[in-house]
């Protein structure tokens, strides 16, 4: 079995998911304030991650444990440094250069990557800098690991049983064979010469500095991509669940190990290049709350730019069942809506694979394991590069098939291979209703999954593309209209938030359950502080006008589907 995630450190993840994901309605309400509109297609360019207003707290409060680990040695260390505000990037970069580093700037995420000559010296310099939000190690994750349109004589199951199990064919037929959405596959690269991907690749990018290409030396990225985009009807062996949907091949590893900085670079590229879904078939455990904040920021950046992130839950259920990132950052708790999806693996009968991680953040499941727990030869079936020794051969699963024209295929197991099935179907569901926001696509897939309530092993159940398309077409995508006013009294403003009736389009569901927010910006609209959140009924609040810059007041109203309307009720300067 090619493991999607192997143990990295012994420490538990603790509260990292809550640290990373924030309440999804809070993020959706803020997204409506920063850029009204429910369709990412309306955004002309990538928006930077909104960072908190400047505070005087030091980095030590947020990451004392991580700082202590970095400071133990004078040896060179690769670090990720998060700034408190985007305007702090220049100053913190100057500090890092003074330490002897050449920092790389991730402008959208508000993070700098740097190789410093001394970890101890860097901590001493950055620990009490009020412009620094956190300092952490740049750590490593590991890959989670028609000739054949017929039954495999050894199993009696079709080679492409996973495609049939999620009703991909019916879903594709309902939307015309594919999606206008683009799936970014952040992985070990892609064999661009494989005939299954002719015309299927929208863009390529190497996230590894000085890499220079996307050649897949491992096989993992090519296998994952085949589950999404292998062409059907070309006389070969593969069937991608997303049909004619285009993919981006983003290489972030040449050996199955993924450095956090390469992942952030790949995520930022995917956001800038217009990806709608990012598939992440890798995972790592042992990250405490102060050890993966840069990755958490990158995932939040994707959400704020209307990108759906999908990640493998991990393959270590039989090795302590740790929480693993990025999946634990993405899934909502116990079936709630998160900022993405955490995907578990199942066998042909829908039962959970014994190796598949189970926890409170599993969103749903997809095929990823063979029927026989003791035989990894017959898991899910997909594409391999023309010349490589795939890792699953080393684990006693040597079955590699050669199709027409010498194209290579194989079976493999892992949550690595369940995640792309969900990513591909997410694109198909999005085609059925293009006004969906990413968290709504996730909600549709979870609501329509073949399950009977949420559980920690398979989440909402096995993903069902056909049912997802049907639900997407009646899903409520219309936001309530935010209503209210602000009246000034000296240097105070009385804000009154009025009742908003939820609304929907004719023939669609009505989400209901409207909640209300009030935010203030004291820097002219660049960043916002929440003054009231998730209020179940209208309210009034007195707000002092502070500082020398314009104070802007904004109210938001969101329904249960995270459709959010926003209204600016006033801009005021202190007298």
């Amino acid at each position: 079995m090619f493991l999607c995630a192997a143990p990295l450190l012994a420490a538990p993840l603790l509260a990292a998911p809550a640290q990373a994901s924030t309440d999804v309605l809070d993020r959706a309400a803020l997204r409506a304030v920063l850029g009204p509109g429910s369709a990412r297609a309306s955004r002309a360019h990538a928006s930077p991650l909104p960072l908190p207003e400047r505070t005087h707290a030091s980095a030590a409060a947020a990451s004392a444990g991580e700082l202590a680990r970095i400071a133990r040695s004078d040896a060179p260390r690769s670090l990720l440094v998060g700034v408190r505000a985007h305007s702090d990037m220049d100053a913190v970069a100057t500090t890092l250069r003074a330490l002897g580093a050449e920092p790389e700037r991730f402008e959208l995420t508000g993070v700098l990557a740097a190789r410093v000559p001394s970890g101890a010296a860097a901590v001493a310099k950055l620990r009490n800098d009020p412009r620094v939000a956190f300092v952490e190690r740049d750590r490593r994750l590991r890959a989670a690991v028609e000739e054949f349109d017929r039954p495999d004589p050894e199993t009696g199951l079709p080679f492409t049983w996973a495609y049939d199990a999620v009703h991909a064919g019916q879903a594709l037929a309902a939307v015309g064979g594919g999606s206008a959405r683009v799936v970014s596959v952040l992985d070990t690269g892609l064999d661009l010469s494989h005939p299954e991907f002719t015309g299927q690749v929208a863009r390529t990018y190497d996230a590894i500095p000085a890499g220079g290409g996307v050649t897949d030396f491992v096989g993992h990225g090519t296998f994952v991509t085949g589950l999404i985009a292998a062409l059907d009807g070309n006389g070969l062996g593969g069937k991608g669940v997303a049909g004619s949907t285009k993919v981006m091949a983003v290489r972030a590893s040449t050996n199955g190990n993924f450095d956090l900085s390469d992942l952030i670079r790949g995520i930022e590229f995917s956001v800038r290049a217009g990806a709608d879904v990012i598939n992440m078939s890798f995972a790592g455990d042992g990250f405490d709350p102060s050890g993966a904040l840069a990755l958490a920021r990158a995932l939040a950046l994707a959400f704020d730019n209307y990108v759906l992130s999908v990640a493998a839950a991990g393959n270590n259920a039989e090795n302590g069942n740790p929480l693993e990132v990025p999946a634990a950052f993405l899934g909502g708790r116990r079936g709630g809506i998160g900022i993405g999806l955490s995907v578990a693996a199942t066998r042909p009968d829908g039962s959970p694979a014994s190796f598949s991680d189970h926890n409170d953040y599993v969103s749903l499941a997809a095929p990823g394991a063979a029927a026989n727990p003791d035989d990894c030869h017959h898991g899910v079936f997909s594409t391999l590069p023309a010349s490589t020794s795939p890792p699953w051969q080393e684990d006693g699963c040597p079955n590699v098939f050669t199709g027409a024209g010498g194209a290579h295929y194989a079976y493999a197991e892992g949550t690595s291979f369940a995640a792309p099935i969900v990513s591909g179907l997410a694109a198909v569901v999005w085609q059925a209703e293009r006004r969906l926001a990413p968290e709504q696509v996730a909600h549709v897939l979870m609501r329509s999954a073949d399950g009977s309530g949420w559980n920690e092993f398979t989440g909402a159940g096995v993903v069902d593309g056909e049912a997802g398309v049907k639900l997407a077409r009646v899903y409520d995508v219309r936001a309530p209209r935010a209503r209210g006013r602000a009246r000034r009294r000296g240097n105070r403003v009385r804000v009154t938030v009025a009742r908003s009736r939820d609304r929907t389009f004719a023939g669609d569901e009505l989400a209901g359950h409207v909640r209300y927010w009030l935010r203030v910006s004291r820097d002219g609209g660049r960043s916002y502080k929440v003054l009231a959140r998730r209020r179940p009924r209208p309210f009034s609040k007195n707000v002092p006008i502070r500082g020398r810059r314009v104070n802007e007041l904004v109210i938001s109203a969101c329904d249960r589907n995270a459709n959010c309307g926003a209204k600016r009720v006033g801009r005021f300067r202190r007298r």
Side-chain angles (χ1 to χ4, degrees):
M1 180 175 63
F2 185 41
L3 294 182
C4 152
L8 299 182
L9 296 176
L13 184 65
L14 300 177
Q19 172 75 38
S21 60
T22 311
D23 183 273
V24 70
L25 276 179
D26 279 347
R27 296 210 69 89
L30 177 58
R31 192 174 59 192
V33 170
L34 295 172
S38 60
R40 180 177 177 269
S42 66
R43 180 185 56 75
H45 61 277
S47 301
L49 177 73
L51 296 181
E53 292 181 317
R54 188 190 308 274
T55 68
H56 296 292
S58 71
S63 54
E66 182 73 354
L67 288 174
R69 284 185 283 270
I70 296 168
R72 287 173 187 161
S73 172
D74 283 325
R77 302 300 293 266
S78 294
L79 303 179
L80 297 170
V81 181
V83 297
R84 292 199 177 276
H86 289 286
S87 58
D88 292 326
M89 291 285 278
D90 287 342
V92 176
T94 298
T95 299
L96 289 168
R97 281 192 287 270
L99 287 166
E102 291 296 330
E104 178 182 4
R105 301 161 66 110
F106 296 118
E107 298 284 359
L108 296 181
T109 313
V111 170
L112 296 113
R115 178 75 171 171
V116 296
S118 165
V123 169
K125 189 70 174 178
L126 298 172
R127 180 190 296 274
N128 295 312
D129 190 332
R131 299 164 301 193
V132 175
F134 61 82
V135 181
E136 63 188 29
R137 292 163 289 169
D138 186 358
R139 296 166 69 184
R140 180 164 289 181
L141 285 72
R142 294 190 65 186
V145 254
E146 276 90 332
E147 177 175 348
F148 297 104
D149 192 11
R150 57 182 171 81
D152 182 338
E154 291 191 31
T155 66
L157 293 172
F159 283 96
T160 53
W161 67 266
Y163 177 96
D164 299 328
V166 298
H167 301 138
Q170 297 92 324
L172 287 168
V175 299
S179 175
R181 301 289 175 171
V182 178
V183 181
S184 175
V185 181
L186 188 57
D187 215 288
T188 62
L190 179 65
D191 179 5
L192 296 173
S193 67
H194 200 296
E196 293 283 19
F197 303 119
T198 302
Q200 292 289 79
V201 181
R203 295 191 68 171
T204 64
Y205 176 70
D206 191 0
I208 304 169
V214 296
T215 301
D216 185 4
F217 299 108
V218 179
H220 191 265
T222 300
F223 196 98
V224 165
T225 306
L227 292 166
I228 298 170
L231 285 167
D232 190 16
N234 59 359
L236 300 176
K239 276 187 178 182
V241 297
S244 61
T245 303
K246 299 297 186 288
V247 295
M248 293 181 188
V250 180
R251 189 174 72 171
S253 171
T254 57
N255 59 9
N257 295 319
F258 296 83
D259 289 343
L260 288 176
S261 54
D262 294 336
L263 296 177
I264 295 167
R265 194 176 297 110
I267 291 170
E268 283 208 358
F269 169 82
S270 300
V271 171
R272 290 181 188 273
D276 299 286
V277 181
I278 301 177
N279 185 83
M280 293 175 281
S281 290
F282 46 80
D285 64 356
F287 284 82
D288 63 35
S290 64
L293 299 183
L295 178 60
R297 276 193 177 183
L299 298 173
L301 168 76
F303 175 89
D304 289 347
N305 282 277
Y306 292 90
V307 180
L308 175 64
S309 297
V310 180
N315 295 348
N316 283 306
E318 298 171 310
N319 299 308
N321 191 42
L323 282 174
E324 306 205 46
V325 297
F329 284 162
L330 296 174
R333 188 173 184 274
R334 299 185 67 82
I337 302 176
I339 63 170
L341 290 168
S342 168
V343 184
T346 54
R347 304 193 182 282
D349 63 0
S351 63
S354 59
F355 57 78
S356 183
D357 286 357
H358 48 93
N359 53 62
D360 284 351
Y361 302 98
V362 171
S363 306
L364 74 175
N372 183 351
D374 299 320
D375 181 7
C376 61
H377 287 64
H378 304 107
V380 292
F381 187 80
S382 189
T383 48
L384 286 182
S387 58
T388 187
S389 296
W392 43 88
Q393 285 190 350
E394 299 171 6
D395 293 325
C397 296
N399 284 11
V400 175
F401 302 84
T402 302
H408 289 178
Y409 303 84
Y411 283 115
E413 287 190 313
T415 57
S416 266
F417 313 125
I421 292 174
V422 171
S423 292
L425 290 178
V428 174
V429 163
W430 225 332
Q431 183 70 10
E433 174 49 81
R434 302 189 185 195
R435 293 168 295 187
L436 291 167
E439 69 276 10
Q440 294 173 333
V441 175
H443 193 210
V444 166
L445 290 173
M446 291 175 66
R447 278 185 56 190
S448 59
D450 183 13
S452 56
W454 181 90
N455 68 78
E456 68 180 64
F457 294 92
T458 59
V462 178
V463 67
D464 185 324
E466 181 182 22
V469 166
K470 290 178 180 178
L471 177 57
R473 287 179 166 159
V474 297
Y475 190 87
D476 181 2
V477 293
R478 195 175 188 188
R481 184 178 291 113
R483 300 173 59 244
R485 66 182 185 275
R487 292 183 178 178
R488 180 169 189 155
R489 298 174 182 173
N491 280 322
R492 300 181 73 83
V493 177
R494 179 73 170 176
V495 180
T496 300
V497 178
R499 184 173 301 279
S500 297
R501 295 184 61 186
D502 196 18
R503 52 189 186 158
T504 191
F505 294 104
D508 287 356
E509 300 176 337
L510 181 68
H513 295 265
V514 176
R515 296 292 184 267
Y516 304 93
W517 278 257
L518 172 62
R519 285 181 166 86
V520 62
S521 171
R522 304 194 191 278
D523 56 10
R526 291 193 302 176
S527 61
Y528 290 85
K529 177 182 179 181
V530 176
L531 299 178
R533 61 160 46 91
R534 298 181 66 95
R535 294 286 184 89
R537 56 184 62 86
F539 64 92
S540 296
K541 188 174 183 67
N542 291 318
V543 181
I545 302 172
R546 294 175 177 164
R548 298 180 179 179
R549 306 187 68 177
V550 170
N551 285 215
E552 181 175 88
L553 291 160
V554 185
I555 58 175
S556 305
C558 301
D559 67 16
R560 183 164 50 187
N561 284 0
N563 296 304
C564 297
K567 179 182 179 180
R568 288 164 173 79
V569 293
R571 291 168 60 88
F572 307 92
R573 286 186 181 274
R574 186 171 179 82
R575 293 171 180 168

